[in-house]
Amino acid sequence: MTLLIIGFDGATFDLIKPWARDGYLPNLAALMRDGVTADLASTLPPVTSPAWPTFMTGANPGKHGVFDFIQPHGENFTLVNSTRIRQPTLWRRLSDAGYRVGVLNVPVTYPPQEVNGFMVTDILSPRNAIISHPPDLIDRYETEMGPYRVAPNIQYKPGNEAEFIADIYDLIDTHARWALKLMESEPVDVLMVHFIAMDIAKHALWRFMDHTHKRYEPSPYEHAIRDGYARVDAAIGRLMAKLPPGSTTIAMSDHGFGPLKNMVNLNVFFIQHGLMKLKPDAMTQLKAWAFRNGITPATAYQWLSRLGLQNTIARVSKKARNDIVGKFLSFDSVDWSRTIAYSMGHVGQVYINRIGRDDHGMVPEADYERRLVEVSDALAELRDDEGQPILTNLWRGREVYHGPYAELGPDLHLELDHYAMIACPLFATEGRVMTSQIRGDSGCHRREGIFIAAGPGIHSGVELPEASILDLAPTILHLLGEPVPQVMDGRVLSEILTQPQPVRTVDDSDAGVATEQGFDAAEAEQIEERLRGLGYL
């Protein structure tokens, strides 16, 4: 059996089902008609970087070790890459079992793994790096195919919509052309093709499509997201047309999508509630006064935008940028010896400043529960500018993670206004708790992604209850007749099958993983700039 897996980053049935019904997505419509569908619960937080390793390993972040694009260390952080994943991936397991696999553009695959087949890495790949296995794979076809690219060339800003959309569409087309070429020239048993472009587009363009959005405005770009979905749908159709008879296709996403209302400066909230303390020196207090009175990174960005210079930030060295940021209130201004909690991560991840984990931890294990309750009670008081509560859900990290790396994850996960609000990824953008997204984004992630599967032995036209992204790796192994490793936290979705077979398991807890390797300074600077351009930092 040949298996094609489509990774449609950020895809949501909220858009797919009506557009499929109206004829814009004929290939996804056919897959749903011929197969099974289910909402797919993402990770906490529902973010690209932990979600794809969770899919690839079938294990929760407490076992595989990736919780976000970054790993906080008090005021500092390190960037994650594929070597941070501390469980064997599906690609390694299938390679070891003798399958030829092809993996194209799946997030958190740089640096590329050695697989039995090929791998081309993802949006977290540095420029001019070796992004494939075999190392010469891109060189073999680049003369014929043109350059391969992992990310957009154009960062969105209000006013450059036409240029941004054209670049997004070209990114879809580039990935589709390369996938078709590699499918033909490097045949494999299992092929995964990932499309990142529409996730990026929805962050920027949601308000043009959504007439209920508070920043909606009539625009010639109203159907840009729909037409991008149609472009991905057409690529799916071309890929499926090349499959041999009897093949199976899975389409899935790492999370869903919806409108973005506001951002929340959680660290400002913590300062206001005495949970984060600033250094007492005169300079820090002056910065705090300036922050409260509007002298902030947000206002600096707005002035640069008015001058048309906001994209020059990407050409400023990390040292120079840090020198500039240091002029404002920042994590460097925090008195960690008196700070109980801090936030780092753009969805609403909160860390208790713990001894033994955080570089400047001050909360001992004996006080952990009391401090957790104190911070949770304070967060329950979060209100928007109209005085309405915005904390929809709050989960403790120890409730959602388990495994040897669980303690590295956030201590609290916040769902703010049903995920219609997100947090400032790092310190804060301005002195108010409630603020707008600095780049003008109007869309953000939701927990519910998509799962569609069609092929021999799979039910037709059936809509199933919600599944978990944890379930896909064990289900894929089972579909291929392979045993499921006991370390996996997900389950086999036997209900998709017309004739379910007993699930075989195997204990391979001794399976090794590669030694972790960080980015060098130049590579880290590149990836940080890309993540900033996408709104993740």
Side-chain angles (χ1 to χ4, degrees):
M1 177 183 79
T2 299
L3 173 63
L4 171 66
I5 307 168
I6 301 295
F8 193 168
D9 206 288
T12 172
F13 282 130
D14 291 344
L15 301 180
I16 287 174
K17 288 183 176 180
W19 288 340
R21 181 194 62 223
D22 294 343
Y24 295 106
L25 308 176
N27 297 296
L28 285 167
L31 270 177
M32 291 190 290
R33 181 191 65 235
D34 297 340
V36 299
T37 61
D39 285 338
L40 194 68
S42 186
T43 47
L44 285 172
V47 175
T48 299
S49 43
W52 288 109
T54 297
F55 157 72
M56 290 188 283
T57 62
N60 84 93
K63 288 182 180 176
H64 65 62
V66 178
F67 301 91
D68 200 342
F69 288 105
I70 58 177
Q71 180 62 53
H73 307 284
E75 73 267 37
N76 301 309
F77 62 83
T78 51
L79 296 163
V80 306
N81 61 29
S82 67
T83 67
R84 169 79 66 163
I85 303 173
R86 311 312 295 164
Q87 289 290 328
T89 64
L90 187 61
W91 325 123
R92 176 182 158 185
R93 293 188 187 281
L94 291 174
S95 294
D96 289 348
Y99 294 84
R100 280 186 56 80
V101 300
V103 185
L104 192 67
N105 214 57
V106 177
V108 203
T109 53
Y110 179 86
Q113 285 182 290
E114 292 187 12
V115 294
N116 181 28
F118 68 84
M119 176 179 286
V120 182
T121 61
D122 65 301
I123 198 167
L124 300 179
S125 308
R127 293 185 297 274
N128 303 319
I130 295 173
I131 63 167
S132 69
H133 174 81
D136 67 342
L137 182 73
I138 301 297
D139 293 340
R140 293 179 200 172
Y141 304 106
E142 201 159 36
T143 300
E144 174 187 353
M145 301 295 297
Y148 186 86
R149 59 193 184 106
V150 298
N153 290 328
I154 296 172
Q155 178 182 331
Y156 172 72
K157 59 181 178 181
N160 78 337
E161 286 83 5
E163 186 181 15
F164 172 76
I165 291 165
D167 184 60
I168 285 290
Y169 289 174
D170 182 68
L171 185 62
I172 295 169
D173 294 346
T174 297
H175 290 162
R177 286 188 299 104
W178 274 87
L180 288 162
K181 180 63 180 179
L182 293 172
M183 195 177 189
E184 175 186 286
S185 302
E186 308 279 343
V188 294
D189 304 304
V190 178
L191 173 65
M192 179 159 188
V193 182
H194 176 271
F195 294 95
I196 187 71
M198 291 315 299
D199 174 284
I200 298 166
K202 283 181 289 188
H203 279 290
L205 304 175
W206 189 277
R207 68 187 180 95
F208 297 120
M209 170 188 71
D210 184 353
H211 290 223
T212 68
H213 199 285
K214 69 178 184 179
R215 291 192 288 118
Y216 168 75
E217 61 180 75
S219 164
Y221 312 112
E222 177 173 359
H223 301 303
I225 292 174
R226 184 197 69 190
D227 294 347
Y229 265 59
R231 228 174 181 96
V232 175
D233 182 87
I236 293 170
R238 294 196 296 274
L239 289 164
M240 291 180 62
K242 285 188 173 289
L243 292 171
S247 297
T248 295
T249 300
I250 291 173
M252 50 84 62
S253 66
D254 52 336
H255 52 73
F257 234 90
L260 170 64
K261 294 180 182 177
N262 290 308
M263 287 186 69
V264 183
N265 286 311
L266 288 173
N267 290 313
V268 171
F269 178 83
F270 289 152
I271 291 170
Q272 292 177 356
H273 285 72
L275 298 168
M276 174 179 280
K277 299 289 188 179
L278 300 177
K279 294 174 181 175
D281 63 277
M283 181 56 71
T284 298
Q285 295 307 309
L286 178 61
K287 290 179 182 179
W289 176 88
F291 216 75
R292 290 192 298 270
N293 287 275
I295 303 173
T296 67
T299 52
Y301 186 89
Q302 289 160 8
W303 277 106
L304 286 170
S305 296
R306 292 186 187 122
L307 297 170
L309 299 174
Q310 68 269 44
N311 288 339
T312 61
I313 296 169
R315 296 191 289 273
V316 175
S317 74
K318 183 177 180 180
K319 180 183 183 302
R321 185 182 61 249
N322 288 345
D323 288 343
I324 294 169
V325 170
K327 307 300 182 187
F328 298 105
L329 202 67
S330 69
F331 278 129
D332 287 339
S333 309
V334 173
D335 182 348
W336 293 99
S337 69
R338 298 187 297 139
T339 289
I340 295 166
Y342 66 98
S343 174
M344 191 178 287
H346 75 287
V347 175
Q349 301 96 305
V350 172
Y351 295 82
I352 304 299
N353 187 27
R354 292 160 57 189
I355 293 172
R357 179 189 64 185
D358 297 283
D359 286 355
H360 306 297
M362 59 82 70
V363 176
E365 184 64 27
D367 287 344
Y368 177 73
E369 180 64 26
R370 178 172 67 87
R371 293 303 194 183
L372 201 64
V373 171
E374 181 182 2
V375 174
S376 300
D377 289 347
L379 289 166
E381 301 303 314
L382 274 167
R383 297 290 188 272
D384 64 16
D385 289 336
E386 284 73 49
Q388 297 300 309
I390 63 170
L391 185 64
T392 306
N393 279 303
L394 184 148
W395 294 271
R396 294 186 177 197
R398 290 178 177 178
E399 295 172 346
V400 297
Y401 299 144
H402 62 278
Y405 307 101
E407 295 300 305
L408 297 178
D411 297 288
L412 292 169
H413 292 271
L414 281 59
E415 180 184 347
L416 300 170
D417 194 13
H418 305 280
Y419 287 122
M421 296 184 185
I422 57 176
C424 177
L426 298 178
F427 180 74
T429 55
E430 62 172 86
R432 299 173 64 245
V433 174
M434 301 296 299
T435 186
S436 58
Q437 207 275 349
I438 191 170
R439 302 180 316 130
D441 282 4
S442 56
C444 59
H445 299 177
R446 295 296 186 273
R447 176 176 172 271
E448 298 80 16
I450 70 163
F451 171 65
I452 309 169
I458 295 176
H459 286 294
S460 296
V462 174
E463 187 169 338
L464 298 171
E466 183 180 82
S468 166
I469 197 167
L470 285 163
D471 300 332
L472 296 197
T475 299
I476 288 166
L477 289 171
H478 185 67
L479 284 172
L480 294 169
E482 297 299 318
V484 176
Q486 294 174 4
V487 73
M488 290 187 173
D489 297 309
R491 68 180 184 89
V492 171
L493 299 173
S494 298
E495 60 269 33
I496 75 174
L497 303 173
T498 55
Q499 296 181 319
Q501 299 296 315
V503 175
R504 295 184 297 122
T505 63
V506 63
D507 181 3
D508 67 346
S509 55
D510 293 331
V513 292
T515 302
E516 186 176 329
Q517 300 173 10
F519 294 103
D520 66 30
E523 292 173 337
E525 187 168 347
Q526 289 178 36
I527 301 306
E528 283 186 37
E529 294 302 344
R530 189 172 295 155
L531 291 174
R532 281 188 173 84
L534 297 171
Y536 293 128
L537 282 181

